[in-house]
Amino acid sequence: MLTALFFYLFASLTVISGFMVVFVKNPVHAVLFLILAFFNVAGLFLLLGAEFLALTLLIVYVGAVAVLFLFVVMMLDVDFAELKSGFLNYLPAGLFVGGILLAEIIMVSGAWILNPALSTLEKVKEIDPTVTNTENFGKVLYTDHLYYFEAAGIVLLIAMVGAIVLTLRQRDGVRRQDIATQVGRQPKDAMEIKKVETGQGI
Amino acid sequence: MSQVSEYLPLLPEIIVVIGALVLLLVGVFNEERGAKMVWGLTMLVIAAAVGFLIKDWGTNTILFNGSFIIDDYARLLKIMVLLGGLVTLYMSITYLSETGIFKSEYSVLILFSLLGMMMMISAGDLIALYLGLEVQSLALYVVASFRRDSVRSSESGLKYFVLGSLSSGMLLYGCSMIYGFTGTIYFNEIATASLVAGAPSLGLIIGLVFLLAGLAFKISAVPFHMWTPDVYEGAPTAVTAFFAACPKIAAMGLLIRVIYSAFPELIDQWQQIIVFIAIASMILGAFGAIGQTNIKRLMAYSSISHMGFALVGLAAGNREGIEGALIYLMIYLVMTVGTFALILSMRRNEEMVENIDDLKGLSQTNLTAAFMLGVLMFSLAGIPPLAGFFAKFYVFMAAVKANLFPLAVIGILSSVVGAFYYLRIIKIMFFDEAKEEFTQMPSQLKLVLGASGLFVLFYVVYPNPIIEVARVAARALLPTI
């Protein structure tokens, strides 16, 4: 009962914020609605018992991707009003693509009805329900799949090194804060005491 | 619980990884002298890895539940790739410091891409295959655009990156089809799964085609070659030398491993594909090079046709074919490295020149270099008694033994066409009016050019060691056939 209540709460909020992403005028608000949608989808995953996926979604999509979007929207001077002017012209194409996606989803999820023989196929191995998803991942990620894990880490390291090598430039005339110099500064370097004669000025 | 000693055969890879990580830090903390220090240490790391590979020769190990295969086949290819990387890195120092791109990251990225190649060669399943390929390619994309202030270098890096991602996409699609239709990612299990099913399923064949397309891109075989001339021309010459030598060998090694260990039952299917891309590469490489004026572009077409010749051995589908392909790769490596040693020394007035016309009358200004390049060109053309002739001889013999006569005949004809442009270079060097002298050749380039020229000349005297290691390696891959 409570699960159903939460399901409808999360699901309806996801759908509503999805609509809002498309329809609000202000792009920053759109990104914020996108974040709301991500949060609600994470809630749906939690209800399904996929807590690892829910947390990954929050970390990756909210923590990284959405913040990146927000930066792009705020840094780039894009005229969104103009971008949206021919909005309805794309409706037929959009509906067409959406229709294909819908048909594919129905075919995939209804495959058992279309072809009863499929239900005899070997099912995915069930995991031990007493252990959480995260624990299951942890058990194999650093043992059986250690090699893949390390290799993927190297791929990411190379990407990082490459990005830095190709873009980092040492520019002249940039004044950076150097805390050690600031702290180590002595009064005698910074100040000069002058005896001012009365009525003379410096 | 596994013992640490179980992972000792992995030592060459571990040395390379830890070496790369440490050298990255060494480079960051020594801003002035770092580049040169890291350059030297990188070569030391590579040499150490080669040493451990030679020490373990003759043993077989499979690690990580079958993801990582270490046998003599893998070891031979790894030694080839590492030595190729070592020599091209050694040659590159003058070029890099003169163009002002000598940074410590260059050596580290080369080291990482060598690691990727080692992972490719040892891959025992589809995920390991893909990860190795990505480690290698990602580092190569970066070094291709390493001269970031040059538009052409950036263009070549970008082109390589976009087309490389496309090919990775095709490869992954193929992998997912293969996994979907066999239910496993391990090469040996794929082989048994396709055996059990009787006639191979259509989905598996489609997966195989996509996998081969992705790998053909990496060895720049026709029809997936279009990136090669542009990338070779645009990339810094030192990087081009590396591109021509190492990634080709690693990808070819991976291709041989995949089709022989995962798809021995589908030989009828993949043989057609390999025969087609071999013929197309040989012909296009031969004809495409004729009109080139830039020597780096010419070498790109030359490498396309050479990959075609190596594929002839693969298409034969027997052990002689694999032996032939391995010998071909070894000799190709030596010839390419030697040729690029000369290309790297083509400097005039502090500037690199890369047109074929710039070689005019080289024999009058520098007879030794002209003679060595002449020998290498004759060898690339496949003229006896130089090493290049024997390389072609072994693969064509294997093709004839497998009754692939049309393939062998087309191969020989296209090598005749190819001889034209190699001989043209010799004509330009020896019979044309001399141009201004090149800048004095750095000693390391002299050494590499001389060594490879002598290897090519005297291979005929004592070819046994090379034939023998190729035989051992081929037997390690195919113990039964």
Side-chain angles (χ1 to χ4, degrees), chain B residues 448-468:
Chain B
V448 174
L449 180 64
S452 70
L454 291 179
F455 172 86
V456 166
L457 261 181
F458 293 108
Y459 171 77
V460 58
V461 181
Y462 192 49
N464 279 359
I466 292 205
I467 297 177
E468 194 49 44

Side-chain angles (χ1 to χ4, degrees), chain B residues 329-348:
Chain B
L329 289 177
M330 279 186 260
I331 294 175
Y332 166 79
L333 178 68
V334 177
M335 295 189 298
T336 314
V337 167
T339 312
F340 270 100
L342 194 112
I343 296 175
L344 277 168
S345 72
M346 290 167 63
R347 293 175 300 136
R348 211 170 257 153

